[in-house]
Amino acid sequence: MTPSEAFVETMVANDVTDMFGIMGSAFMDAMDIFAPAGIRLIPVVHEQGAGHMADGYARVSGRHGVVIGQNGPGISNCVTAIAAAYWAHSPVVMITPETGTMGIGLGGFQEANQLPMFQEFTKYQGHVVNPKRMAEFTARCFDRAMSEMGPTQLNIPRDYFYGEITCEIPKPMRVERGPGGENSLSAAAELLAAAKFPVILAGGGVVMGDAVEECKALAERLGAPVVTGYLRNDAFPASHPLWAGPLGYQGSKAAMKLIAQADVVVALGSRMGPFGTLPQHGLEYWPKDAKIIQIEADHTNLGLVKKITVGIHGDAKAAAAALSKRLEGKALVCDATKAARAETIKAEKAAWEKELDEWTHERDAFSLDMIEEQSKEPGNWLHPRQVLRELEKAMPPRAMVSTDIGNINSVANSYLRFEEPRSFFAPMSFGNCGYALPTIIGAKCAAPDRPAISYAGDGAWGMSMSELMTCVRHNIPVTSIVFHNRQWGAEKKNQVDFYNRRFVAGELDNTSFAGIAIAMGAEGVIVDKLEDVGPALQKAIAAQMNEGKTTVIEIMCTRELGDPFRRDALSKPVRFLDKYKDYV
């Protein structure tokens, strides 16, 4: 066969049916046979969008997401998206055709050293060193993406697609993970047997390991509230009585108050990252004296961020099941307080829901000034929290939601609840803008039977809205909510708190995003009345699911601002030069 055939056949062996990218001469010989191999290449507007689409596709399906582009600029455009996929632990395969071997180092057209670009954000980098090894390196990249749960890079000199080789197409290798070591599991079971107020922190490993049912069984045996990690809102069903909501920025006060009472915490598939354990809502909620049982498939995460008592190097699903089995028929200290703790959980959740219902607008001085100022402007301006509550109420069953980075998107963390895993997607620790729309497009490709919804502020939306053309061109219908508040809200909040409201580069004067959507061939609607929020979402979802239409819902919001990302991230300014003495 040819190396192109070996490359394509290895992807077929790995069940690749969809890829995202922009066509290029560097891989055109292989691209020519994608269709007869049963592979659809979905052309995007910008390669960063392709990377995010591959991420969304992988996170929904549990299969590889695949992205490809032209060597040089097409590849460099993907770096941000691969970094986001890295922090989401998405098995994305980044295929990077490279300058031909006879031109490397000569500074030719679109030449770039592509391996260092992705070194920090990949679990493995395969470079095809000889055309005869095409299938070998391709297979290894696909295998490692799954075994390491993260992006890999397959770098292929463009002249290596051509020629004649003899090779065998490798069968995929999948690592079967176990529950962890006997000693660590026994130590964890002993801690749980003696626990008075155990709490489970369900992280991304619960979602990726399909461990929700096992997490549920362990929680029910212990009567333990389940809090979810930062931006892992889909790691436990929100309708379950033991669900308490997410920790971290703009998370659930109920979750924070409950974990604060814990004497034993089971961090199930969570690295307990810094952004998910920082103080929030004025609460220092992390239980400093609690014993921590951490269960992680990646042993390098054990004890990395928080001091732990027991570390279990194992699969979340298998480990949770093993712990439940060890607790079977065992008298637990917490058995005696199960009913009382259930009432505590119920009361904390009810108090938080009541607070959210009554939290109709932000109450800081700046937000109150903005609300007053905008009341004098023409038009109607809606409070973001009220909008988010209405969207929550109107959310269809089995909805998939992606959120961008930004102020309103982060506040949404308190309002997004899910019943099944693989439903919620965010840029995680990398925190890049322009994430939500392309990611939900990839998710929709993987699960066309599920409603797909993205949230973005007007700043982040400007980075990605061109991918609406991908939706329209290729019949991939999604629904996008755009919060139009005319500002870069998250960073502007720092200028309020630290720089005496001296606003530099934070204001955005926008045209009609709904109008742009219509010009691109999608539907567009402007919402400026609270009672229209829910019906607008329901109508857009009906159009998405029944008519294959993409809709942008542009919501006109006030300029009020939620809490900053981190109060410890900046210091009060000090000025020594006379010309800057007033800038404090």
Side-chain angles (χ1 to χ4, degrees), residues 6 48 84 99 204 235 253 291 328 344 394 417 422 437 467 553:
Q48 180 178 329
T99 300
K253 273 192 186 179
K291 292 178 170 63
E328 271 179 17
T344 300
R417 296 100 189 272
R422 304 188 183 278
L437 175 61
E467 296 299 345
I553 302 173

Side-chain angles (χ1 to χ4, degrees), residues 331-351:
L332 310 182
V333 171
C334 65
D335 284 342
T337 60
K338 213 168 190 179
R341 285 182 293 119
E343 287 303 312
T344 300
I345 295 166
K346 185 177 178 182
E348 290 291 3
K349 286 165 62 175

Side-chain angles (χ1 to χ4, degrees), residues 385-405:
R385 285 189 175 274
Q386 288 183 300
V387 170
L388 291 167
R389 199 60 152 167
E390 292 303 310
L391 290 171
E392 175 201 331
K393 292 174 187 174
M395 199 64 65
R398 305 203 67 220
M400 304 181 292
V401 179
S402 65
T403 58
D404 227 293
I405 198 70

Side-chain angles (χ1 to χ4, degrees), residues 22 43-50 53 434 437-438 441 460-474 480 513 516-517 519-522 550 552:
I22 294 178
V44 302
V45 176
H46 189 281
E47 288 92 351
Q48 180 178 329
M53 289 176 206
L437 175 61
I441 293 171
W461 181 248
M463 290 192 183
S464 60
M465 64 183 177
S466 59
E467 296 299 345
L468 284 175
M469 289 190 285
T470 301
C471 297
V472 174
R473 286 167 174 167
H474 306 294
S480 290
F513 294 122
I516 293 172
M520 289 184 180
T550 290
V552 172

Side-chain angles (χ1 to χ4, degrees), residues 421-439:
R422 304 188 183 278
S423 298
F424 181 43
F425 321 108
M428 312 307 291
S429 300
F430 201 59
N432 66 287
C433 290
Y435 172 91
L437 175 61
T439 300

Side-chain angles (χ1 to χ4, degrees), residues 78-95:
C78 294
V79 173
T80 294
I82 297 303
Y86 178 84
W87 287 107
H89 308 288
S90 292
V92 171
V93 178
M94 175 78 231
I95 298 166

